[in-house]
Amino acid sequence: MSAAGTHLVLLLGAGGVSPASALAAARKVTSEVSVVWYDGGTPATAVAQLRADWGETFDGEWLTTDRHLDIPDLLADLHRRRPVHGVATFGEPLIVVQAEAQARLGLPGNPPEAVRTAQSKLAQRRRLREAGIERIPFREITGPADVPAAAAEVGFPAVLKPVHGAASFLVTKVHSADELLEKLHEALAAYRTSPLFDPEPSFVVERLLVGDEWYEEDGFGNYVSVESLVEDGRITHVAVTDKLPLDAFVEIGHVMPTSLPADRHRQVLDQAGRIIEALGIRWGATHVELKLTPDGPACIELNARLGGPIGHLLRATTGCDIEADIMRLALGRAAEGDYQATRFALYRAVPPPSQAVTLVRQTAREQLLADFPELAFCKTRFTPGTELHPDRPYSLLTFMVTGDDVKSCLATAERVVDAYEAELVSSADGSVVKFTPSAP
């Protein structure tokens, strides 16, 4: 399948790569770019500035909707006015409607059913079991009545997670049927007030994967992700991302290039390729998370999109823009990046306490940038006065450091975390909440 043209449509406004970064990448690919903006609560002034920047650079149309399911119809109408040759997005909530629009218009893209399977942690587990790739015990849970059977079939310790979710939202470890029931009640309440698009929450409970030590150096977690590009079914692995140890189930650190020994490196690439093929992904980017177990790499999940900070890390380590390559693939072109790492980079996130708090004061971003020249970027995510809730996936601070070796990156990241201070008070009673961010 090939798209003979240059009119690219970006679906923006629903997370993933920042809209400004997406537009910057698009400038490297084509000047004919339309935008479908999902109006999900971004401040109007920020949207107006983005639209103004887009209008100065691109030829196309800017469309807005607050109903993501309407996007395929919007693109069909746009296609009649101005033929569309590719559709790209980076936000998890929009990847299914992206695939539906691509299929409807005959454009390069994944089969919608393959994307739905990838987006569902339950359907993904079923497909991998059918393909003989994974044998992890799991069971769907839609309510308290399902708990006894799930406990008996899966066993403990186990992990409870939403069938549809992102950024470790509501993922929790459970050790007994009673704890599973308690966490399920909490998750059901939180899910119904979440910004996710699924109106009826369902969950999957699966046996906890036990990791092993695969590294010759200290400081790494026992899981990785594999970043790949797929062009009409042809898979190119562009990187393996090492991880820092988890904070509960929240990811806090990503490192490139990998420090895995060569034989271990090959094992994770081979397993990622099998998973991508089994799930029927044929175009675009994939982000496959693998647990490093005594029996080999085991699939945590596949995302049919670019993973979180991966674009930042690849630009820092290789100089390549994977976001631009994803857009090229959407237009039916070949990717252009040569993803050979020449230096190391570490992306770090600082999560808040596990209770509702209000941010009173924090170390200024400008101060951190002045104190640490190794910072490639640094972002404080919230302003003082913001109320933060533990049932939302977010971080107080994110930053990236670069260096000539992994040890220097790890050491610098630890110093940045130590230098960051945040004053927080309880949202319930206003009492001071002790918060000491620390390196893993």
Side-chain angles (χ1 to χ4, degrees):
M1 185 185 296
S2 177
T6 61
H7 182 201
L8 176 70
V9 178
L10 295 179
L11 311 182
L12 302 177
V17 172
S18 74
S21 294
L23 292 175
R27 292 187 187 100
K28 303 175 184 179
V29 178
T30 178
S31 62
E32 192 177 3
V33 175
S34 293
V35 170
V36 175
W37 180 264
Y38 173 72
D39 189 8
T42 302
T45 53
V47 178
Q49 184 60 59
L50 282 167
R51 185 168 183 173
D53 294 342
W54 162 84
E56 292 177 358
T57 305
F58 299 107
D59 178 29
E61 296 186 27
W62 183 287
L63 307 173
T64 300
T65 182
D66 60 0
R67 286 176 46 84
H68 71 291
L69 296 177
D70 290 345
I71 288 175
D73 288 338
L74 287 174
L75 292 189
D77 290 342
L78 174 62
H79 185 65
R80 284 189 281 270
R81 299 190 300 273
R82 179 192 292 260
V84 174
H85 305 112
V87 182
T89 193
F90 300 93
E92 180 73 21
L94 299 182
I95 60 174
V96 171
V97 292
Q98 173 200 21
E100 290 173 345
Q102 290 166 329
R104 185 167 171 178
L105 300 180
L107 302 176
N110 291 307
E113 193 55 40
V115 178
R116 292 188 192 97
T117 298
Q119 198 173 58
S120 165
K121 294 176 175 60
L122 178 63
Q124 190 174 133
R125 281 280 177 241
R126 287 172 174 162
R127 181 70 193 97
L128 293 177
R129 177 180 285 180
E130 291 167 359
I133 293 173
E134 299 287 355
R135 298 294 181 189
I136 302 166
F138 67 90
R139 188 179 176 98
E140 182 180 14
I141 292 183
T142 59
D146 297 326
V147 167
E153 182 174 339
V154 175
F156 298 100
V159 177
L160 176 70
K161 58 178 70 172
V163 169
H164 295 93
S168 302
F169 177 59
L170 297 180
V171 178
T172 185
K173 186 189 298 185
V174 291
H175 299 85
S176 67
D178 288 343
E179 186 179 14
L180 175 57
L181 183 60
E182 176 188 351
K183 296 298 183 183
L184 177 63
H185 280 300
E186 294 174 2
L188 285 167
Y191 197 99
R192 291 191 179 102
T193 60
S194 80
L196 297 175
F197 288 155
D198 302 282
E200 295 299 329
S202 63
F203 295 81
V204 60
V205 61
E206 59 188 46
R207 181 76 58 81
L208 178 71
L209 289 167
V210 178
D212 196 14
E213 180 53 66
W214 281 34
Y215 293 91
E216 297 171 353
E217 303 92 348
D218 295 330
F220 297 107
N222 53 22
Y223 75 112
V224 297
S225 64
V226 180
E227 325 308 336
S228 309
L229 292 172
V230 189
E231 180 186 356
D232 199 16
R234 295 184 295 276
I235 302 168
T236 301
H237 301 304
V238 302
V240 173
T241 308
D242 294 335
K243 310 293 182 178
L244 301 189
L246 291 167
D247 181 341
F249 283 99
V250 177
E251 292 189 302
I252 63 170
H254 314 263
V255 188
M256 280 187 189
T258 183
S259 294
L260 281 173
D263 58 334
R264 298 295 203 177
H265 188 186
R266 175 49 53 191
Q267 278 185 273
V268 301
L269 293 183
D270 289 347
Q271 183 72 342
R274 287 190 285 268
I275 292 165
I276 294 166
E277 290 177 352
L279 291 175
I281 303 301
R282 299 196 56 79
W283 286 95
T286 61
H287 173 78
V288 180
E289 296 181 359
L290 297 167
K291 191 77 166 182
L292 307 176
T293 80
D295 299 320
C299 184
I300 299 172
E301 66 179 29
L302 173 144
N303 299 122
R305 56 168 173 77
L306 186 66
I310 299 305
H312 294 301
L313 286 162
L314 285 170
R315 279 189 292 273
T317 58
T318 71
C320 298
D321 191 336
I322 193 170
E323 293 149 21
D325 270 343
I326 290 168
M327 296 177 195
R328 293 185 182 101
L329 291 173
L331 289 167
R333 304 179 192 170
E336 297 181 3
D338 178 15
Y339 294 91
Q340 298 299 313
T342 59
R343 66 189 281 106
F344 284 80
L346 185 155
Y347 180 98
R348 180 75 160 87
V350 176
S354 57
Q355 65 184 90
V357 295
T358 298
L359 177 64
V360 176
R361 185 192 63 81
Q362 65 184 337
T363 305
R365 166 183 177 272
E366 293 75 15
Q367 184 63 53
L368 293 171
L369 287 170
D371 291 345
F372 297 97
E374 304 94 334
L375 282 168
F377 79 82
C378 177
K379 184 175 183 179
T380 49
R381 313 291 292 189
F382 300 98
T383 57
T386 303
E387 188 172 316
L388 309 175
H389 297 274
D391 59 351
R392 297 290 186 272
Y394 61 82
S395 297
L396 287 171
L397 170 74
T398 56
F399 63 87
M400 186 169 71
V401 300
T402 59
D404 294 328
D405 56 71
V406 69
K407 289 184 179 179
S408 66
C409 289
L410 289 167
T412 301
E414 183 174 354
R415 291 190 290 116
V416 174
V417 171
D418 287 343
Y420 175 73
E421 296 180 352
E423 182 180 337
L424 305 165
V425 297
S426 168
S427 299
D429 58 18
S431 60
V432 174
V433 175
K434 185 178 181 180
F435 175 69
T436 306
S438 60

